[in-house]
Amino acid sequence: MASERRRPGQYVCGIDAALGVIGGKWKVLIIWALHEYPGIRFGELRRQVPGVTVKVLASHLHELEEDGIVHRVAYDEVPPRVEYSLTETGMLLNKALGPLGAWGRDNIMGGADHREHPARG
C-alpha cells in the first residue's frame, strides 16, 4: 500500500528501491500491458492481466500512478472514460525489466519461444 512505502533515504540499494515500486505479483504484468496497449481502458487492462481482481488492479494502478510510472487520463464524458498509459519513467522501468525477462526465459522457462517482453518474457 502507498501509506506503507518507504521514503527514498530508507532503501538499502537501487534494487530495493525498484522492488518497492514493482513488488508483488501483478505490477510487472500491468506495466507490460500498458506498454503493449498504451491508452488502454480499465476493463481491457483487466482482460490483459488474467486473474487480477478489480480491487487489486485499481489499487496497483493508483500506487503506480503515485510512483510516477502510470499516467491516468479521465475524460469528462458520459459514460465516464479513463485511459492508462506509461509515463516516461514507466517506459524506462519497462525497458529495465527486459534483462530480467530474458533471464526468466533462459533459466526458468528453458529458452522457450515466447514473446520478447520483460513481463511475459
Side-chain angles (χ1 to χ4, degrees):
M1 294 184 151
S3 61
E4 296 175 11
R5 290 206 184 107
R6 295 185 278 181
R7 299 189 187 276
Q10 295 177 314
Y11 291 110
V12 175
C13 65
I15 297 280
D16 186 26
L19 289 176
V21 172
I22 63 169
K25 178 178 180 178
W26 300 109
K27 286 185 179 177
V28 175
L29 295 175
I30 293 167
I31 292 167
W32 171 84
L34 292 174
H35 171 77
E36 292 292 309
Y37 307 98
I40 194 171
R41 294 174 69 175
F42 187 90
E44 181 59 26
L45 182 57
R46 185 165 179 236
R47 284 187 285 280
Q48 294 300 325
V49 184
V52 69
T53 65
V54 169
K55 181 179 177 180
V56 168
L57 180 57
S59 173
H60 284 350
L61 283 169
H62 181 72
E63 290 173 11
L64 289 166
E65 185 179 7
E66 284 183 344
D67 288 332
I69 305 301
V70 169
H71 180 69
R72 177 184 187 271
V73 177
Y75 294 92
D76 189 20
E77 299 175 352
V78 177
R81 176 171 57 115
V82 178
E83 294 180 349
Y84 297 90
S85 58
L86 292 177
T87 63
E88 186 174 330
T89 301
M91 288 184 256
L92 289 171
L93 175 57
N94 186 64
K95 185 176 180 180
L97 291 170
L100 184 60
W103 181 89
R105 218 174 17 262
D106 295 344
N107 294 285
I108 305 300
M109 299 173 74
D113 184 26
H114 291 275
R115 291 175 68 167
E116 295 291 324
H117 194 277
R120 296 252 172 124

